Amino acid sequence: MKGKPDYNIPEPTLRRLPRYYNYLKALLNRGREVVSCTHIGKDLELDPPQIRKDLAYTGIRGLPKVGYQVEELIKSIEDFFGWNNIDEAFLVGVGNMGRALIDYKGFSRYGFKIIAAFDNDSEVIGKTFNGIEVLALNKLTSLCKRMNVHIGVIATPDHAAQEVADMMIAGGIIGIWNFAPAEIRTPEGVIVQNENLAAGLSVLCKKLQMLKQSGKIRQEVIE
Amino acid sequence: MKGKPDYNIPEPTLRRLPRYYNYLKALLNRGREVVSCTHIGKDLELDPPQIRKDLAYTGIRGLPKVGYQVEELIKSIEDFFGWNNIDEAFLVGVGNMGRALIDYKGFSRYGFKIIAAFDNDSEVIGKTFNGIEVLALNKLTSLCKRMNVHIGVIATPDHAAQEVADMMIAGGIIGIWNFAPAEIRTPEGVIVQNENLAAGLSVLCKKLQMLKQSGKIRQEVIE
DNA sequence: TAGAAATCGAGAAAAATTTATCGATAAAAA
DNA sequence: TTTTTATCGATAAATTTTTCTCGATTTCTA
Ligand SMILES: NC(=O)c1ccc[n+]([C@@H]2O[C@H](COP(=O)([O-])OP(=O)(O)OC[C@H]3O[C@@H](n4cnc5c(N)ncnc54)[C@H](O)[C@@H]3O)[C@@H](O)[C@H]2O)c1
Ligand SMILES: NC(=O)c1ccc[n+]([C@@H]2O[C@H](COP(=O)([O-])OP(=O)(O)OC[C@H]3O[C@@H](n4cnc5c(N)ncnc54)[C@H](O)[C@@H]3O)[C@@H](O)[C@H]2O)c1
């Protein structure tokens, strides 16, 4: 584990790093200057060696007996992900989820910005949300090309997902953040990140079911 | 891998099963009666033995040379998760995300139902979304107890997450589906499922960055 | 009805990920 | 100044998850 980040980073690590980031930001707000993996581990219920390994991927080095400078660590994670260079994205499907994503201010922290939205419903086309005008779907491909946008967000119903993905890819999009519960077929070189909320929900409910069956449920709950 | 499901199921399996489910539902709609792991594997880009192993957890048995009955397989997954018994939940934080979740019809398929919503903003309290009236936050704990609800959804800003979680837990909630990018401390016996959208986004953007750096980007994209 | 082809289930092997260990080092305490 | 303590980085061990292998079974074809 050398200082320089390598290019074979475990996906679980990639998912934990933003968690550390949020946590560290909160820590900084509370005025903390240094933090150790032991300390982080207590709050996040993770093992210190794992945290150390994760953080090392960003290229930071800690100090024995002390830990890391919080500010430096935050910067290290930001640089690792490149959150200072903004990734611009198009979003398709301006329904409930699409609007939530468009309105959300929190993504700017992650160097992510939705710069245009598309829909095929004339009711929403022309409307503006968070300063972003909703355009007609048929402009998607050409605008992708023209504006050199490489990331697309799919927030349409599942049955439209493949069609929309195809239009995006035709426009040169190589990264798709997909909220529709549908399988998208893409050519080599296109990365699809499925945001399957139902999967998270299912895991929760199943764990709960197993907890209940094991009889280890909290006393006070079963009245 | 016996017929009966065991109680030590890998989480990746738990996350893949709803994916198979969606896929199989779509397959059934198109009139398909049987399907093999080889076939599923092609469409979902997964290895057949893994799919076989995943499906075996639900207790189903396939037939050599044939595969599985699609309908039977769907039912097997439903039974495994217990999607026929409805899990009722309370949601707190009726903003963009909260409303998207309340309005979403798709969760009924997963035996999940939001039966009440809470907020602390008088602007939203009293309003109704998808037949669900928004109640004042101070009624949360007592109503949890009274209605014997065990699942809570947090869709408030991050700074309110811990406070809301505490109120839920006081009311007897043992499963929390958390959309706020905040760490929630809970006592033993409470399961927290963090739905960290920023993590998914970060993974996508980082993969894209690595793809670009590796020079393996699609020709047609770099004009 | 015999042989070929496809697929399953089970278990082994490989790979990835997490957890544990240990010497080195910096800070604090004696 | 010396000792003690906490923590790091690196590496090793353990665990989990994925991938591979192979004999058994069922269907299809000839
Ligand atoms: N809302 C949720 O909480 C939630 C949860 C899990 C998954 N999802 C998934 O996210 C996606 C969006 O959900 P939603 O609740 O916002 O749905 P929605 O019905 O509110 O919005 C869908 C939008 O897509 C537009 N659309 C439909 N077909 C289109 C097409 N071919 N091209 C462009 N736009 C098209 C519609 O006009 C509409 O504006 C769905 O696939 C849904 O299954 C949503
Ligand atoms: N919208 C998105 O796309 C998105 C993406 C990622 C994460 N999130 C997270 O999901 C959460 C909700 O996001 P949103 O966009 O819906 O925010 P929002 O601001 O639209 O809604 C937040 C709601 O919570 C209510 N609220 C605030 N404090 C409360 C309290 N103490 N008790 C009860 N209710 C309270 C507010 O009145 C408001 O109705 C946030 O934590 C956000 O970071 C949202």
Side-chain angles (χ1 to χ4, degrees), chain A residues 11 191 193, chain B residues 202-211:
Chain A
E11 189 156 326
I191 298 171
Q193 177 76 29
Chain B
S202 301
V203 169
L204 175 64
C205 294
K206 184 67 191 177
K207 282 183 178 171
L208 235 39
Q209 186 201 91
M210 295 192 295
L211 186 74

Side-chain angles (χ1 to χ4, degrees), chain B residues 135-156:
Chain B
L135 308 173
L137 185 63
N138 59 30
K139 298 203 180 120
L140 173 61
T141 303
S142 59
L143 264 180
C144 275
K145 281 186 194 153
R146 178 131 55 87
M147 300 181 74
N148 210 30
V149 167
H150 289 168
I151 300 179
V153 185
I154 297 181
T156 65

Side-chain angles (χ1 to χ4, degrees), chain A residues 36-67:
Chain A
S36 71
C37 290
T38 320
H39 187 107
I40 301 177
K42 268 208 192 84
D43 286 345
L44 269 56
E45 299 188 43
L46 291 170
D47 287 318
Q50 174 163 87
I51 299 170
R52 216 168 279 139
K53 208 171 264 192
D54 288 340
L55 297 180
Y57 277 108
T58 70
I60 199 159
R61 293 192 65 88
L63 221 59
K65 172 81 184 188
V66 180

Side-chain angles (χ1 to χ4, degrees), chain A residues 46-96:
Chain A
L46 291 170
D47 287 318
Q50 174 163 87
I51 299 170
R52 216 168 279 139
K53 208 171 264 192
D54 288 340
L55 297 180
Y57 277 108
T58 70
I60 199 159
R61 293 192 65 88
L63 221 59
K65 172 81 184 188
V66 180
Y68 308 83
Q69 296 291 320
V70 176
E71 217 156 338
E72 200 186 330
L73 192 42
I74 287 172
K75 187 153 184 344
S76 183
I77 296 174
E78 285 171 348
D79 291 348
F80 171 77
F81 280 110
W83 288 335
N84 305 86
N85 311 334
I86 287 169
D87 279 320
E88 296 185 329
F90 280 175
L91 178 143
V92 180
V94 189
N96 281 315

Side-chain angles (χ1 to χ4, degrees), chain A:
Chain A
M1 205 107 315
K2 285 293 158 47
K4 275 289 171 63
D6 77 28
Y7 296 103
N8 191 25
I9 300 146
E11 189 156 326
T13 295
L14 249 27
R15 294 193 68 93
R16 278 190 301 266
L17 282 169
R19 235 185 115 193
Y20 300 141
Y21 183 75
N22 279 331
Y23 167 80
L24 292 165
K25 275 280 189 178
L27 221 55
L28 190 68
N29 276 346
R30 281 185 263 125
R32 196 164 178 104
E33 293 187 353
V34 292
V35 69
S36 71
C37 290
T38 320
H39 187 107
I40 301 177
K42 268 208 192 84
D43 286 345
L44 269 56
E45 299 188 43
L46 291 170
D47 287 318
Q50 174 163 87
I51 299 170
R52 216 168 279 139
K53 208 171 264 192
D54 288 340
L55 297 180
Y57 277 108
T58 70
I60 199 159
R61 293 192 65 88
L63 221 59
K65 172 81 184 188
V66 180
Y68 308 83
Q69 296 291 320
V70 176
E71 217 156 338
E72 200 186 330
L73 192 42
I74 287 172
K75 187 153 184 344
S76 183
I77 296 174
E78 285 171 348
D79 291 348
F80 171 77
F81 280 110
W83 288 335
N84 305 86
N85 311 334
I86 287 169
D87 279 320
E88 296 185 329
F90 280 175
L91 178 143
V92 180
V94 189
N96 281 315
M97 184 55 79
R99 272 199 301 273
L101 295 170
I102 291 171
D103 275 351
Y104 190 54
K105 309 295 188 299
F107 291 137
S108 66
R109 180 178 273 192
Y110 304 97
F112 180 77
K113 193 170 184 200
I114 293 168
I115 57 165
F118 300 82
D119 206 294
N120 71 348
D121 179 355
S122 55
E123 287 287 308
V124 268
I125 295 171
K127 288 218 175 95
T128 299
F129 301 99
N130 195 20
I132 293 160
E133 193 186 348
V134 181
L135 307 172
L137 186 63
N138 59 29
K139 299 203 180 119
L140 174 62
T141 302
S142 59
L143 263 180
C144 275
K145 281 187 194 152
R146 178 128 56 87
M147 300 182 73
N148 208 32
V149 168
H150 289 169
I151 301 179
V153 185
I154 298 182
T156 65
D158 50 0
H159 60 78
Q162 183 65 60
E163 178 199 357
V164 168
D166 291 343
M167 294 172 77
M168 285 177 168
I169 292 163
I173 272 179
I174 50 172
I176 294 177
W177 196 18
N178 175 37
F179 284 79
E183 297 300 324
I184 298 175
R185 311 273 298 156
T186 57
E188 188 81 0
V190 174
I191 298 171
V192 177
Q193 177 76 29
N194 290 306
E195 208 61 61
N196 189 348
L197 300 192
L201 176 63
S202 301
V203 170
L204 176 63
C205 293
K206 185 65 192 180
K207 282 184 178 172
L208 235 40
Q209 186 201 91
M210 295 193 293
L211 186 74
K212 283 175 182 172
Q213 275 172 13
S214 76
K216 280 195 216 139
I217 210 152
R218 291 196 303 144
Q219 264 324 304
E220 60 271 38
V221 174
I222 17 176
E223 53 257 75

Side-chain angles (χ1 to χ4, degrees), chain A residues 100-101 104 107, chain B residues 92-98 118-121 124 137 155-160 163-164 179-181 197-198:
Chain A
L101 295 170
Y104 190 54
F107 291 137
Chain B
V92 180
V94 189
N96 282 317
M97 183 56 79
F118 300 82
D119 207 295
N120 71 349
D121 180 354
V124 268
L137 185 63
T156 65
D158 50 0
H159 59 77
E163 178 199 357
V164 169
F179 284 80
L197 300 192

Side-chain angles (χ1 to χ4, degrees), chain B residues 2-209:
Chain B
K2 286 290 159 46
K4 275 287 173 60
D6 75 28
Y7 295 104
N8 192 23
I9 300 146
E11 190 156 323
T13 295
L14 249 27
R15 295 193 68 93
R16 279 190 298 266
L17 282 169
R19 233 183 116 194
Y20 301 140
Y21 183 76
N22 279 332
Y23 168 80
L24 292 165
K25 276 278 188 177
L27 220 56
L28 190 69
N29 276 346
R30 279 184 265 126
R32 197 167 177 102
E33 293 187 354
V34 293
V35 68
S36 71
C37 289
T38 320
H39 188 107
I40 301 178
K42 268 209 192 83
D43 285 346
L44 269 56
E45 300 186 46
L46 291 170
D47 286 318
Q50 174 162 86
I51 299 170
R52 217 168 278 138
K53 210 168 262 193
D54 287 342
L55 297 180
Y57 277 108
T58 70
I60 199 158
R61 293 192 65 89
L63 222 60
K65 171 82 186 190
V66 180
Y68 308 83
Q69 297 291 322
V70 177
E71 217 157 340
E72 200 186 330
L73 192 42
I74 287 172
K75 189 158 182 338
S76 183
I77 296 174
E78 284 171 348
D79 291 348
F80 170 78
F81 280 111
W83 287 336
N84 305 85
N85 310 334
I86 287 168
D87 279 320
E88 297 184 329
F90 281 175
L91 178 144
V92 180
V94 189
N96 282 317
M97 183 56 79
R99 272 199 302 271
L101 295 169
I102 291 171
D103 275 352
Y104 190 54
K105 309 295 188 299
F107 291 137
S108 66
R109 180 178 272 192
Y110 305 98
F112 181 77
K113 192 169 185 205
I114 293 167
I115 57 166
F118 300 82
D119 207 295
N120 71 349
D121 180 354
S122 55
E123 287 287 308
V124 268
I125 295 170
K127 289 219 174 97
T128 299
F129 301 99
N130 195 22
I132 293 160
E133 193 187 347
V134 181
L135 308 173
L137 185 63
N138 59 30
K139 298 203 180 120
L140 173 61
T141 303
S142 59
L143 264 180
C144 275
K145 281 186 194 153
R146 178 131 55 87
M147 300 181 74
N148 210 30
V149 167
H150 289 168
I151 300 179
V153 185
I154 297 181
T156 65
D158 50 0
H159 59 77
Q162 182 66 62
E163 178 199 357
V164 169
D166 292 343
M167 293 173 77
M168 285 177 167
I169 293 163
I173 272 179
I174 51 172
I176 294 177
W177 196 17
N178 175 37
F179 284 80
E183 297 299 326
I184 298 175
R185 311 273 298 155
T186 58
E188 188 81 359
V190 175
I191 298 170
V192 178
Q193 178 76 29
N194 291 306
E195 208 61 61
N196 190 348
L197 300 192
L201 175 63
S202 301
V203 169
L204 175 64
C205 294
K206 184 67 191 177
K207 282 183 178 171
L208 235 39
Q209 186 201 91

